[in-house]
Amino acid sequence: MAKTIAVTEQPSTGMQQLKAQPARLGEFLKDVRSEMRKVISPSRAEVQSTTIVVLVTVFIFAAYFWLVDNIIGRAIEALLHRLTQH
């Protein structure tokens, strides 16, 4: 069976929140600095290889959608041509 604990919150006034802002900002900036130390920049070779992969993928998808668009467009033109002939 789950146990629950009721915690009474003390009402915080606007002045208390205002006084707590510098401490909260300092803590936030400390956390940001800590996270930025974990950031690793990719090497030039990694950037070049991923850029090539992205460009090749974009051109493959462009060719695929161009082909599908042409096929569907010609099918619709043929259908409309047949339906409008008397």
Side-chain angles (χ1 to χ4, degrees):
M1 207 181 279
K3 295 181 180 181
T4 59
I5 298 174
V7 177
T8 58
E9 288 188 27
Q10 297 177 351
S12 62
T13 64
M15 192 57 124
Q16 288 173 339
Q17 289 178 350
L18 188 61
K19 288 180 182 178
Q21 285 297 333
R24 290 178 57 205
L25 177 62
E27 185 68 26
F28 172 74
L29 292 176
K30 188 176 108 180
D31 290 343
V32 168
R33 188 173 187 171
S34 171
E35 289 298 319
M36 287 304 292
R37 286 186 179 132
K38 299 176 188 176
V39 174
I40 299 172
S41 296
S43 67
R44 181 175 175 91
E46 289 174 327
V47 172
Q48 286 177 339
S49 65
T50 54
T51 301
I52 291 170
V53 168
V54 168
L55 289 175
V56 168
T57 305
V58 165
F59 280 107
I60 289 172
F61 275 103
Y64 171 75
F65 286 122
W66 176 80
L67 181 66
V68 170
D69 184 48
N70 275 334
I71 291 171
I72 292 174
R74 289 177 190 223
I76 290 174
E77 282 179 11
L79 181 64
L80 289 175
H81 183 68
R82 285 188 185 180
L83 291 176
T84 56
Q85 282 182 345
H86 294 281

